[in-house]
Amino acid sequence: MQQATHTAINNIVIVGGGTAGWLTAALLAAEHNVDKGQLAHSPKLNIILIESPDVATIGVGEGTWPSMRNTLDKIGISETEFIRQCDASFKQGSRFIHWQHDDSNQYLHPFSLPHGHQELDLCPFWLPHSDKVSFAQAVSNQDALTQLGLAPKTIATPEYHFQNNYGYHLDAGKFSQLLMQHCTEKLGIKYIRDHVTQVHSLANGDIESLATKEHGVILGDMFVDCSGTKSLLLGEHFNVPFLSQKAVLFNDSALAIQVPYAEENSPIASCTLSTAQSNGWIWDIGLPTRKGVGYVYSSAHCSDDEAEQTLRAYLANDTSTNPQSASSNAVDSRKQECRKLNINPGYHAKCWQNNCIAIGMAAGFIEPLEASALALVEWTANILATQLPTHRGVMDTIAQRVNERYERHWQQIIDFLKLHYVVSRREVDGYWRDHREAASIPERLQQQLELWRYQAPSSHDISYKEPLFPAASFQYVLYGMGFNTAQPTHIKPSQQQVAQRLFSENQQKIHALSQSLPSNRDLLNKVRQFGFPKI
């Protein structure tokens, strides 16, 4: 076959469904085939999604970032429909429990930037008072409000708008089902359930077509690998190197369990609970009808049996999921079965090779800490949708640009996740001490930590635009973990007055919202009954 340098990119073939595949299909269709919410009469793209009938959705990540609101809105799914069909609840950040040291402690990494961040960086003005008030309490109202279990908005707030920034907790299987239904019924995506048996290449190395077991040969101009950890196209076909991060981030296993509430109206946490354990950490995600709980751990530091004992002990102490009396009809969570998940922490050296881009776990995965996996799916799918090459001749230029940003995102994810472990002062367990060994800490992070001993994290520490984690995220984690930055030696009186005003405004907002916001459970009940107003 001859190389078709100027072949127009009209036929997109996505291999794999799940959240990654269906979100990518939806964003491509929304960007190129939908006009004012309606499918165009002559769609530009012919989008085919091929999904193996034997592969179940992994569904580890049940948490999203606030970016998911924009994604859902863009692809035309109403927030009311999403919450009702995906057993979704509101998430305002992640609360870290017992991460700082062996004794009782906790802090919140909220989804809101510090109050007044565009006016003034409050870090230098908070540092002299760090022994009296936590950073999150001083600069964000979400710490106090999530401790009260309050929602980020009221039932009168229009869809996707808010009083406090938020993402979601959701049932990953139900979410994939909703996306599939929306894509096939409203966005014109062609859906094929079949096995891919062979990849056919052109002379220039591009993928020409895929052979399937039941549907013959599927031709395409662009191929999207959403085949999960199998990485059928990027990894197996193109042999793009896989860069293991196990020497940096040790967790390679997880035990997941779904448990019902003890009472029908048990409170629903409005943030992910992340509790440090001897050899990893436990996630605790509250949905309207159940909890998703799991232990992420290092197999080099404990066995699967030891991990299950740790998880069972956590559940036994959770009064929200265990029956409180013999008359209760709730299921004893200690009798629920665990599901073992293997994690190969790392990522492929690039996500875009020739006319193929990998999205989701086909590109890489480390661990569910900070729920970065779905955020990367959204970023990559949006980049593909908005920068889709018009023809093959310009694809390599765009691919190089995307690969460069992809690499920077992964480096930042690794540094940010590692930061949680490096600044911990837990001493009892070897797992935590091993995380602080210099050989396991990327040089980039070591340099930043040395800098942060003398000055607070700022946007100057991030060398590229639109990072996944802003400087505020590093501030919340560093100071939530009790990291010591030298206090500023000189503060302008005029700035001190501005800082005092901002601190005061934040406290006033906490008081006002604590009086007006419903609980997470109450708002979700009203959404099911009435729905949110549409703009």
Side-chain angles (χ1 to χ4, degrees), residues 13-18 20-22 49-52 191 196 224-228:
V13 180
I14 301 170
V15 179
W22 289 114
L49 189 146
I50 308 171
E51 184 176 33
S52 168
Y191 178 36
V196 174
V224 185
D225 189 349
C226 296
S227 62

Side-chain angles (χ1 to χ4, degrees), residues 350-526:
K350 59 178 75 171
C351 66
W352 196 325
Q353 177 70 43
N354 289 67
N355 63 337
C356 170
I357 186 171
I359 297 179
M361 297 179 79
F365 182 75
I366 292 187
E367 61 165 279
L369 187 68
E370 295 284 5
S372 59
L374 269 181
L376 258 184
V377 167
E378 291 182 89
W379 174 79
T380 319
N382 268 303
I383 283 289
L384 176 62
T386 56
Q387 298 190 26
L388 185 71
T390 55
H391 59 83
R392 182 62 183 87
V394 297
M395 185 179 291
D396 291 342
T397 300
I398 295 173
Q400 180 179 353
R401 188 166 64 196
V402 171
N403 283 329
E404 288 171 356
R405 292 187 64 188
Y406 162 88
E407 171 65 20
R408 287 195 294 264
H409 281 328
W410 270 114
Q411 288 181 1
Q412 195 197 34
I413 287 171
I414 292 161
D415 287 352
F416 186 59
L417 299 193
K418 183 67 172 180
L419 175 68
H420 293 64
Y421 298 97
V422 172
V423 294
S424 172
R425 286 172 286 165
R426 290 178 65 101
E427 291 291 346
V428 174
D429 309 303
Y431 169 89
W432 295 90
R433 293 195 300 273
D434 289 349
H435 265 296
R436 297 195 292 270
E437 289 291 331
S440 76
I441 305 173
E443 184 178 356
R444 302 178 304 270
L445 181 57
Q446 292 189 43
Q447 292 172 349
Q448 295 283 50
L449 285 166
E450 183 61 28
L451 176 66
W452 293 334
R453 296 187 188 282
Y454 303 98
Q455 62 188 55
S458 73
S459 58
H460 300 296
D461 303 330
I462 302 172
S463 59
Y464 66 104
K465 296 179 180 179
E466 300 177 356
L468 290 179
F469 295 102
S473 289
F474 289 86
Q475 294 172 352
Y476 283 125
V477 172
L478 268 184
Y479 299 131
M481 296 287 283
F483 185 86
N484 291 320
T485 295
Q487 295 186 18
T489 56
H490 176 69
I491 291 179
K492 296 179 181 178
S494 59
Q495 290 183 323
Q496 183 68 60
Q497 292 174 359
V498 173
Q500 192 55 50
R501 171 175 59 79
L502 293 174
F503 287 136
S504 178
E505 287 175 357
N506 184 58
Q507 295 306 309
Q508 292 169 16
K509 191 173 182 182
I510 290 173
H511 178 74
L513 289 177
S514 67
Q515 302 299 311
S516 62
L517 290 174
S519 73
N520 227 12
R521 168 79 66 186
D522 287 344
L523 179 55
L524 290 164
N525 287 342
K526 287 182 179 178

Side-chain angles (χ1 to χ4, degrees), residues 116-153:
H117 68 280
Q118 294 176 319
E119 191 172 354
L120 187 69
D121 179 2
L122 286 173
C123 267
F125 305 91
W126 164 80
L127 283 168
H129 311 284
S130 61
D131 59 332
K132 300 180 181 66
V133 59
S134 75
F135 181 69
Q137 289 171 338
V139 305
S140 168
N141 66 75
Q142 284 186 307
D143 185 30
L145 298 178
T146 55
Q147 290 196 59
L148 295 171
L150 298 182
K153 60 198 289 187

Side-chain angles (χ1 to χ4, degrees), residues 139-348:
V139 305
S140 168
N141 66 75
Q142 284 186 307
D143 185 30
L145 298 178
T146 55
Q147 290 196 59
L148 295 171
L150 298 182
K153 60 198 289 187
T154 70
I155 193 62
T157 313
E159 291 195 335
Y160 300 121
H161 289 232
F162 59 88
Q163 274 76 44
N164 262 333
N165 200 18
Y166 67 92
Y168 305 100
H169 291 138
L170 53 83
D171 183 309
K174 291 181 179 179
F175 187 36
S176 293
Q177 191 67 28
L178 173 63
L179 290 171
M180 179 185 73
Q181 180 182 345
H182 184 71
C183 284
T184 54
E185 295 180 3
K186 298 181 180 179
L187 297 180
I189 308 300
K190 183 179 179 181
Y191 178 36
I192 296 175
R193 284 176 62 83
D194 205 346
H195 297 279
V196 174
T197 57
Q198 194 172 359
V199 180
H200 298 143
S201 299
L202 292 166
N204 68 340
D206 283 3
I207 298 174
E208 179 189 30
S209 63
L210 304 176
T212 62
K213 190 173 181 180
E214 304 289 343
H215 292 76
V217 173
I218 310 294
L219 294 165
D221 305 314
M222 178 87 200
F223 293 81
V224 185
D225 189 349
C226 296
S227 62
T229 55
K230 184 177 179 60
S231 195
L232 179 67
L233 304 182
L234 187 77
E236 289 192 4
H237 175 70
F238 281 114
N239 292 312
V240 173
F242 182 81
L243 307 178
S244 175
Q245 300 301 312
K246 195 170 180 179
V248 179
L249 291 156
F250 311 148
N251 293 337
D252 59 359
S253 304
L255 291 177
I257 191 169
Q258 297 178 358
V259 292
Y261 291 104
E263 305 292 341
E264 186 177 348
N265 287 313
S266 293
I268 301 172
S270 53
C271 54
T272 297
L273 303 180
S274 171
T275 304
Q277 303 294 327
S278 299
N279 300 293
W281 58 276
I282 287 178
W283 79 76
D284 190 329
I285 287 175
L287 304 183
T289 60
R290 64 164 175 85
K291 279 190 176 187
V293 184
Y295 185 20
V296 186
Y297 59 97
S298 163
S299 65
H301 292 83
C302 77
S303 68
D304 293 346
D305 288 342
E306 291 171 325
E308 183 167 353
Q309 290 173 12
T310 300
L311 180 58
R312 298 289 182 191
Y314 177 90
L315 293 170
N317 291 322
D318 182 2
T319 58
S320 71
T321 59
N322 278 320
Q324 299 303 297
S325 68
S327 61
S328 173
N329 293 322
V331 177
D332 190 337
S333 62
R334 290 167 293 186
K335 298 178 182 177
Q336 300 289 100
E337 289 188 12
C338 295
R339 184 166 58 121
K340 172 70 187 300
L341 303 166
N342 296 314
I343 300 170
N344 185 13
Y347 64 98
H348 288 276

